[in-house]
């Protein structure tokens, strides 16, 4: 998804935000020295993504955050799934938005992983259900940390309100929890993040970025991001040391995705990133322990 910066900046202006401003959540992570280890879709190299086994394994491997992508069912339930369609990670087919939760709960969300990655296959992965956001938060509780993405929010009107209602029910929007960074919300959609910011300006946000070629970003663009978010999340393959340092000089965090080799992890840490997404949280933990 290519970011149209002109449209993006005009959206910030239209929202009435002060470009030089900071959200109260901007103290999260940026003031810390450690690099955040974000378990991408759980420990998704070793277990079927966005299932409870994957999230549990990411937590066991000491990931700092459980990363959750959200889609919404026909009957308005938030579920944990990366794609807008069911085809890749279940034995179902079609759009998530065209299926009820009851229909999706009947699907097998794990056998595909055993077939694709036999070296990591386990009998218990077969028949895994697609979890709801409620189920994940209920299982891990309010003391864990969650990095949540609103996927395709234009497809799901009201997604942001449902997300905040769910977080509130699970006691994750308490000021103390937000200050400790128990929840980060990210999106490629600037509109979705601005909506969350209007609903609750205390929630720390991260603007995901996608580039078709090596990334560049201007001071004006970074100032616009800083008016509502604490950081950016670019594709690690599109950035360089200069990009990272420019983001940091603006007082923003930078959490590149998706970094799976130790060599790339080490390089990004040397460049000054403040966190990264990985399918191998165990590898990143080893790299960080070695430093």
């Amino acid at each position: 998804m290519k970011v149209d910066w002109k449209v993006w900046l005009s959206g910030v202006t239209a929202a009435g935000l002060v470009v030089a401003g900071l959200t109260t959540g901007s103290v999260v992570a940026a003031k810390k020295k450690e690099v955040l280890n974000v378990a991408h879709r759980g420990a998704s190299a070793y277990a079927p993504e966005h299932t409870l086994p994957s999230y549990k394994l990411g937590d066991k491997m000491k990931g700092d955050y459980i990363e959750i992508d959200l889609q919404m069912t026909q009957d308005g339930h938030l579920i944990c799934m990366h794609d807008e369609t069911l085809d890749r990670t279940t034995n179902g087919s079609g759009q998530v938005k065209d299926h009820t939760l009851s229909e999706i709960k009947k699907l097998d969300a794990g056998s595909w992983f055993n077939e694709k990655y036999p070296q990591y296959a386990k009998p218990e992965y077969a028949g895994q259900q697609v979890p709801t956001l409620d189920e994940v938060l209920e299982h891990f509780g309010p003391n864990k940390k969650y990095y949540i993405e609103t996927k395709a929010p234009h497809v799901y009107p009201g997604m942001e309100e449902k997300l905040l209602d769910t977080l509130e029910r699970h006691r994750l929007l308490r000021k103390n929890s937000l200050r400790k960074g128990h929840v980060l919300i990210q999106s490629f959609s600037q509109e979705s993040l601005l909506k969350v910011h209007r609903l609750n300006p205390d929630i720390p946000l991260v603007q995901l970025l996608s580039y078709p070629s090596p990334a560049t970003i201007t001071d004006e663009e970074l100032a616009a991001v800083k008016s509502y978010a604490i950081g950016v999340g670019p594709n690690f393959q599109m950035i360089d040391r200069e990009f990272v340092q420019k983001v940091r000089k603006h007082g923003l965090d930078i959490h590149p995705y998706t970094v799976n080799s130790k060599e790339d992890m080490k390089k990004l840490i040397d460049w000054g990133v403040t966190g990264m997404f990985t399918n191998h949280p165990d590898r990143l933990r080893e790299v960080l322990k070695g430093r």
Side-chain angles (χ1 to χ4, degrees), residues 11-126:
V12 174
T13 303
L17 298 172
V18 179
V19 168
L22 268 173
T23 63
T24 55
S26 61
V27 297
V28 177
K31 70 178 182 180
K32 300 179 181 179
K33 298 296 184 184
E34 72 267 21
V35 174
L36 297 181
N37 183 346
V38 184
H40 185 239
R41 312 179 194 179
S44 55
Y46 309 107
E49 65 181 65
H50 292 315
T51 61
L52 282 176
S54 185
Y55 295 145
K56 289 176 184 177
L57 192 55
D59 185 50
K60 184 178 180 181
M61 291 179 173
K62 305 299 182 182
D64 295 307
Y65 280 85
I66 298 167
E67 193 251 356
I68 301 171
D69 294 317
L70 293 182
Q71 306 288 341
M72 197 158 76
T73 66
Q74 186 182 63
D75 48 346
H77 294 274
L78 295 175
I79 63 168
C80 306
M81 182 174 284
H82 179 271
D83 300 358
E84 292 175 54
T85 58
L86 300 165
D87 304 66
R88 183 176 64 87
T89 57
T90 77
N91 61 340
S93 63
Q95 299 284 318
V96 172
K97 68 180 180 65
D98 295 330
H99 292 77
T100 65
L101 178 61
S102 177
E103 291 169 339
I104 291 173
K105 278 294 186 181
K106 295 175 183 176
L107 301 177
D108 179 343
S111 291
W112 70 272
F113 180 89
N114 286 349
E115 295 166 8
K116 189 171 183 179
Y117 303 104
Q119 69 273 35
Y120 298 120
K122 292 185 177 180
E124 59 265 32
Y125 292 165

Side-chain angles (χ1 to χ4, degrees), residues 245-262:
Q245 290 300 308
K246 190 169 188 178
V247 171
R248 295 297 309 280
K249 284 177 182 177
H250 278 260
L252 289 164
D253 289 341
I254 179 167
H255 302 159
Y257 63 88
T258 303
V259 190
N260 291 319
S261 78
K262 288 187 175 181

Side-chain angles (χ1 to χ4, degrees), residues 22-289:
L22 268 173
T23 63
T24 55
S26 61
V27 297
V28 177
K31 70 178 182 180
K32 300 179 181 179
K33 298 296 184 184
E34 72 267 21
V35 174
L36 297 181
N37 183 346
V38 184
H40 185 239
R41 312 179 194 179
S44 55
Y46 309 107
E49 65 181 65
H50 292 315
T51 61
L52 282 176
S54 185
Y55 295 145
K56 289 176 184 177
L57 192 55
D59 185 50
K60 184 178 180 181
M61 291 179 173
K62 305 299 182 182
D64 295 307
Y65 280 85
I66 298 167
E67 193 251 356
I68 301 171
D69 294 317
L70 293 182
Q71 306 288 341
M72 197 158 76
T73 66
Q74 186 182 63
D75 48 346
H77 294 274
L78 295 175
I79 63 168
C80 306
M81 182 174 284
H82 179 271
D83 300 358
E84 292 175 54
T85 58
L86 300 165
D87 304 66
R88 183 176 64 87
T89 57
T90 77
N91 61 340
S93 63
Q95 299 284 318
V96 172
K97 68 180 180 65
D98 295 330
H99 292 77
T100 65
L101 178 61
S102 177
E103 291 169 339
I104 291 173
K105 278 294 186 181
K106 295 175 183 176
L107 301 177
D108 179 343
S111 291
W112 70 272
F113 180 89
N114 286 349
E115 295 166 8
K116 189 171 183 179
Y117 303 104
Q119 69 273 35
Y120 298 120
K122 292 185 177 180
E124 59 265 32
Y125 292 165
Q128 283 295 319
Q129 290 187 331
V130 175
T132 64
L133 178 61
D134 266 314
E135 288 169 342
V136 174
L137 300 182
E138 181 65 31
H139 179 85
F140 290 98
N143 294 320
K144 292 296 181 182
K145 293 185 175 182
Y146 306 93
Y147 209 132
I148 301 173
E149 180 178 350
T150 57
K151 301 289 290 186
H154 61 284
V155 177
Y156 308 112
M159 169 180 269
E160 294 84 2
E161 288 89 346
K162 284 186 178 290
L163 170 56
L164 298 194
D165 286 347
T166 303
L167 293 173
E168 180 68 39
R169 285 201 312 275
H170 290 272
R171 298 180 292 127
L172 282 161
L173 294 187
R174 294 171 297 175
K175 290 291 180 72
N176 190 49
S177 293
L178 292 176
R179 282 197 300 271
K180 291 181 178 179
H182 281 203
V183 174
L184 291 175
I185 295 177
Q186 64 176 344
S187 187
F188 283 103
S189 169
Q190 179 232 7
E191 182 180 355
S192 183
L193 293 181
L194 288 175
K195 185 176 183 181
V196 172
H197 186 76
R198 289 192 296 269
L199 292 168
N200 188 332
D202 293 324
I203 299 174
L205 308 175
V206 173
Q207 178 67 61
L208 287 168
L209 304 174
S210 179
Y211 297 90
S213 58
T216 59
I217 196 164
T218 68
D219 292 332
E220 183 184 24
E221 290 160 359
L222 286 168
V225 173
K226 195 171 180 179
S227 69
Y228 63 91
I230 68 160
V232 296
N235 185 328
F236 89 94
Q237 295 175 312
M238 296 297 177
I239 62 175
D240 57 17
R241 182 189 296 272
E242 181 181 359
F243 185 96
V244 173
Q245 290 300 308
K246 190 169 188 178
V247 171
R248 295 297 309 280
K249 284 177 182 177
H250 278 260
L252 289 164
D253 289 341
I254 179 167
H255 302 159
Y257 63 88
T258 303
V259 190
N260 291 319
S261 78
K262 288 187 175 181
E263 293 75 16
D264 287 328
M265 292 170 182
K266 292 173 183 176
K267 177 180 68 177
L268 289 165
I269 293 168
D270 288 341
W271 288 355
V273 303
T274 55
M276 65 186 83
F277 293 80
T278 179
N279 300 339
H280 299 265
D282 55 337
R283 286 183 190 171
L284 180 53
R285 185 176 182 230
E286 289 173 8
V287 168
L288 292 171
K289 283 178 67 178

Side-chain angles (χ1 to χ4, degrees), residues 1-13:
M1 180 178 185
K2 187 176 183 297
V3 176
D4 187 332
W5 292 109
K6 291 182 180 179
V7 173
W8 198 49
L9 289 169
S10 67
V12 174
T13 303

